[in-house]
Amino acid sequence: MTFSPTAVRWRSNHAIRRAATLLTPILLLASGFLVSSTVTASSAGATTVEHRFTRMLNHARTTHHLPRLSRHAALTSVARRQARRMADKGRLYHNPNLTSDVRNWRWVGENVGYGPDSASVHAAFMASAPHRANILDRDYTQVGVGAVVRNGRVWVAEVFRQPAH
């Protein structure tokens, strides 16, 4: 099983793109957690996998004396659509419409990745400077996490935002 993440961050004037990094499959991960069926997020609420990602990223923030990010429904919808698109295509890529799909933002960013389980993907995010920077960024106040588990692989998109107002 391989893992591959990418991270991106935009400022509202669209002139600055920071931490745009594509990491080729860099880490071989082994895990006993394999799911053969397809699990997708319902529109009614977050999946257990999404909750795990949110808990882990907020734990990382509080460990570094940063405030927790609040979950935001519109960001979660954007993240779920991206996670589903990546799982459907079987390929990792950023949401090309992130800056228009997310509304009312001063700062917006995205982490995307895949791997055998949520803990492994989060650990790889934290080991990667651009992903860790998004998770620990003081500018962000809100997050939406979308996750899809398909054929033993977790596909995730984390969308970060600081509202414009």
Side-chain angles (χ1 to χ4, degrees), residues 45-66:
T47 68
T48 302
V49 176
E50 291 169 352
H51 279 298
R52 277 190 217 122
F53 274 106
T54 304
R55 278 194 316 268
M56 289 184 290
L57 71 89
N58 273 326
H59 176 69
R61 288 179 64 84
T62 59
T63 299
H64 289 85
H65 309 290
L66 296 168

Side-chain angles (χ1 to χ4, degrees), residues 105-124:
W105 57 271
R106 180 168 183 227
W107 291 100
V108 65
E110 178 182 59
N111 286 349
V112 297
Y114 67 84
D117 58 60
S118 56
S120 298
V121 175
H122 178 74

Side-chain angles (χ1 to χ4, degrees), residues 10-134:
W10 289 88
R11 185 181 166 136
S12 62
N13 67 6
H14 299 271
I16 298 173
R17 183 174 180 181
R18 186 176 84 176
T21 303
L22 174 62
L23 300 174
T24 56
I26 57 168
L27 189 56
L28 184 60
L29 300 172
S31 173
F33 177 76
L34 295 177
V35 178
S36 61
S37 62
T38 299
V39 178
T40 58
S42 70
S43 59
T47 68
T48 302
V49 176
E50 291 169 352
H51 279 298
R52 277 190 217 122
F53 274 106
T54 304
R55 278 194 316 268
M56 289 184 290
L57 71 89
N58 273 326
H59 176 69
R61 288 179 64 84
T62 59
T63 299
H64 289 85
H65 309 290
L66 296 168
R68 298 171 59 83
L69 298 174
S70 62
R71 287 188 317 209
H72 193 277
L75 300 178
T76 299
S77 293
V78 171
R80 285 178 177 166
R81 287 192 304 271
Q82 180 60 18
R84 193 174 308 114
R85 281 190 296 264
M86 292 186 303
D88 288 348
K89 292 181 179 184
R91 117 181 135 80
L92 185 70
Y93 63 98
H94 279 286
N95 178 350
N97 301 312
L98 181 67
T99 60
S100 59
D101 286 351
V102 175
R103 305 215 187 275
N104 184 38
W105 57 271
R106 180 168 183 227
W107 291 100
V108 65
E110 178 182 59
N111 286 349
V112 297
Y114 67 84
D117 58 60
S118 56
S120 298
V121 175
H122 178 74
F125 280 162
M126 293 304 291
S128 162
H131 302 89
R132 181 182 174 95
N134 272 345

Side-chain angles (χ1 to χ4, degrees), residues 150-162:
R150 190 166 296 154
N151 300 322
R153 182 177 282 176
V154 176
W155 296 88
V156 64
E158 298 173 337
V159 176
F160 304 91
R161 174 178 80 171
Q162 179 188 73

